[in-house]
Amino acid sequence: ASGVTGQSANQILGIIMDQVAAVTASGENPPGEIATSIADGDLTTKWLVFAATGWVQVELTEPIAVRRYAVSSANDAPERDPVDWALEGSQDGVSWSAVDTRVDQDFPARFQTIQFDFANETAYRFYRLDVTRNAGSGLLQIAELQLSDGDNTPPSAIIVIRIVAPG
């Protein structure tokens, strides 16, 4: 995207964030620290909610079986980092099934992206990161959430650049 000046997230292979139609959350801190910040590819923006727990949800343009995701810590306040969570899938945005659960996660650095791989064959239209515990603050924040279909093929742009680069 043109005009992006922030630090970009380390994109995971198979990323499907271009299929995100909507982002919602249990709460947010407008105007800047809003739910859509987790899907903008910019580590310097974040979603923040005035609670120790919360969820952020994406609706995809079509159902996709997600098999990998990544969570990025935000710019400040490590005590606001997520520690325990479930990644949940839904067909209707009402009834949810956990597809991956993590406990005692740690983000030693700011703007750190940690990737998680798991088995899943069900294509869901909605995915939600439901954080049930953070690192001790009364606030919760996340810089980025990336979802992937698990494809390990490198992005085609990189291959194209190698082909057309002068020898």
Side-chain angles (χ1 to χ4, degrees), residues 3 6 11 17 30 36 45-46 55 59 81 87-88 112 124 165:
Q11 281 204 344
M17 298 307 283
T36 52
T45 64
K46 67 186 177 191
W55 54 263
E59 178 182 359
D81 289 346
L87 181 69
E88 301 171 325
Q112 182 171 13
Y124 293 104

Side-chain angles (χ1 to χ4, degrees), residues 104-116:
D104 298 329
Q105 297 302 305
D106 181 39
F107 294 85
R110 303 299 81 212
F111 303 120
Q112 182 171 13
T113 300
I114 303 179
Q115 176 178 309
F116 305 92

Side-chain angles (χ1 to χ4, degrees), residues 5-157:
T5 55
Q7 189 174 355
S8 78
N10 296 325
Q11 281 204 344
I12 59 176
L13 289 177
I15 189 167
I16 57 158
M17 298 307 283
D18 59 341
Q19 300 296 313
V20 171
V23 184
T24 54
S26 55
E28 55 187 10
N29 181 30
E33 298 170 336
I34 55 175
T36 52
S37 294
I38 62 102
D40 64 3
D42 183 351
L43 285 171
T44 64
T45 64
K46 67 186 177 191
W47 163 63
L48 181 143
V49 62
F50 289 95
T53 61
W55 54 263
V56 64
Q57 160 187 322
V58 297
E59 178 182 359
L60 303 175
T61 55
E62 62 183 16
I64 298 174
V66 167
R67 299 178 181 94
R68 170 182 300 138
Y69 64 103
V71 177
S72 301
S73 61
N75 60 318
D76 62 1
E79 64 274 13
R80 299 175 185 170
D81 289 346
V83 173
D84 297 352
W85 65 77
L87 181 69
E88 301 171 325
S90 174
Q91 303 299 353
D92 57 9
V94 177
S95 171
W96 297 90
S97 302
V99 293
D100 188 65
T101 304
R102 303 285 165 162
V103 296
D104 298 329
Q105 297 302 305
D106 181 39
F107 294 85
R110 303 299 81 212
F111 303 120
Q112 182 171 13
T113 300
I114 303 179
Q115 176 178 309
F116 305 92
D117 290 79
F118 61 99
N120 173 41
E121 297 308 318
T122 306
Y124 293 104
R125 178 140 182 226
F126 296 86
Y127 286 91
R128 176 171 77 179
L129 191 74
D130 186 12
V131 179
T132 54
R133 183 166 68 103
N134 73 358
S137 172
L139 288 78
L140 171 65
Q141 67 184 23
I142 295 173
E144 287 292 300
L145 172 65
Q146 299 178 62
L147 302 177
S148 161
D149 60 11
D151 185 350
N152 288 316
T153 307
S156 57

